[in-house]
């Protein structure tokens, strides 16, 4: 928050024009992360990630339903190809999926994907003219509020309620130590840049155009794994990354729906 507030002062960021829509966007994204984190101790990570990365499908669907965007066969093909690439990279365990991914906890990553799709279409339709720094500040304030209330609730609900014994999401506060605080600082800078970039992208371009590029997360995850952890992607991972890249190229080559835009191009 301090760097964001400094940036807002330096760049003279505007106050929200529609506080209600900005607050709803922030709440959707906060709920998205809570749903995803709550599922992780109970659902195989590959199953959770595969379910979450259906979000571009929901973005494209909601853009067609609520934003009156014409998706077209190229857009749908790009999204489906990108999703297929995600499945190839993650290779979810089908047996694990059948064993427990579709119980109540297994539906939480899918809920996270739906919430993310709604938040990004909302960014395009109702928060398009909001200052990106303002959107990022609002989101981080919501994180602090939700995290603070959650921490307080966990502290007061001792002994824990039945079903809330899991130490992952509902554990009491633990001092991260010097290394943990340093990692949190680096991650804070990364999430600020990421949230600003996502806000700008969905403000400037149709949601169905931006959505397939959400899959680029996996390519960069593989890159940082090589650089930071000395991990080498296997053949299937490289094939999946190529499919994701092809989806991005396909959506970029989609002709504009507006004839006037086609003439200007």
């Amino acid at each position: 928050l301090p760097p964001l507030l400094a940036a807002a002062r330096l760049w003279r960021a505007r106050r929200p024009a529609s506080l209600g829509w900005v607050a709803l966007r922030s709440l959707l994204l906060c709920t998205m992360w809570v749903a995803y984190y709550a599922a992780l101790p109970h659902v195989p990570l590959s199953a959770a990630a595969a379910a979450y990365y259906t979000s571009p499908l929901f973005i494209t669907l909601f853009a067609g339903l609520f934003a009156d965007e014409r998706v077209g066969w190229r857009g749908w093909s790009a999204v489906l190809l990108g999703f297929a690439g995600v499945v190839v990279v993650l290779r979810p365990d089908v047996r694990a999926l059948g064993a427990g991914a579709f119980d109540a906890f297994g539906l939480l990553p899918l809920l996270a994907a739906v919430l993310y799709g709604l938040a990004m279409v909302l960014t395009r339709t109702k928060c398009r003219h909001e200052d990106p720094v303002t959107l990022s500040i609002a989101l981080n304030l919501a994180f602090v509020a939700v995290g603070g209330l959650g921490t307080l609730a966990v502290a007061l609900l001792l002994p824990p309620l039945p079903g809330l014994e899991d130490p992952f999401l509902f554990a009491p506060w633990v001092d991260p130590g010097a290394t943990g605080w340093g990692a949190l600082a680096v991650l804070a800078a990364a999430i600020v840049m990421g949230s600003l970039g996502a806000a700008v992208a969905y403000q400037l371009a149709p949601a169905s155009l931006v959505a397939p590029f959400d899959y680029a997360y996996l390519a960069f995850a593989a890159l940082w794994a090589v650089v930071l952890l000395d991990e080498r992607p296997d053949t299937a991972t490289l094939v999946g990354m190529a499919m994701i890249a092809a989806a991005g190229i396909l959506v970029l080559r989609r002709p504009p729906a507006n004839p006037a835009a086609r003439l200007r191009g």
Side-chain angles (χ1 to χ4, degrees), residues 46-67:
S46 59
Y52 174 71
Y53 276 96
T54 58
S55 55
L57 294 172
F58 290 108
I59 291 173
T60 304
L61 173 64
F62 295 149
L65 292 176
F66 306 130

Side-chain angles (χ1 to χ4, degrees), residues 58-209:
F58 290 108
I59 291 173
T60 304
L61 173 64
F62 295 149
L65 292 176
F66 306 130
D68 197 26
E69 291 184 11
R70 182 183 175 188
V71 177
W73 71 268
R74 284 180 183 269
W76 282 113
S77 298
V79 171
L80 293 174
L81 179 61
F83 179 71
V86 170
V87 174
V88 171
V89 171
L90 295 175
R91 298 187 293 283
D93 188 343
V94 176
R95 291 171 299 177
L97 284 170
F102 292 106
D103 58 12
F105 285 105
L107 294 176
L108 287 176
L110 193 62
L111 173 62
V114 172
L115 293 171
Y116 182 77
L118 286 172
M120 292 306 101
V121 172
L122 187 66
T123 302
R124 173 67 177 171
T125 57
K126 302 298 183 181
C127 303
R128 184 175 181 178
H129 301 293
E130 299 288 354
D131 194 299
V133 176
T134 302
L135 289 178
S136 189
I137 290 174
L139 177 58
N140 281 271
L141 286 173
F143 284 153
V144 171
V146 172
L149 291 173
T151 302
L152 181 62
V154 169
L156 295 176
L157 294 176
L158 294 176
L161 296 176
L164 300 187
E165 300 92 346
D166 196 289
F168 185 73
L169 187 64
F170 300 104
W173 170 260
V174 176
D175 186 356
T179 301
W181 283 115
L184 286 171
V186 172
L187 293 173
I191 195 65
V192 166
M193 290 185 287
S195 62
L196 284 172
V200 172
Y202 281 99
Q203 283 178 327
L204 296 181
S208 56
L209 177 67

Side-chain angles (χ1 to χ4, degrees), residues 32-58:
M32 176 204 80
W33 284 115
V34 171
Y36 189 70
Y37 286 145
L40 290 181
H42 306 279
V43 180
L45 180 60
S46 59
Y52 174 71
Y53 276 96
T54 58
S55 55
L57 294 172
F58 290 108

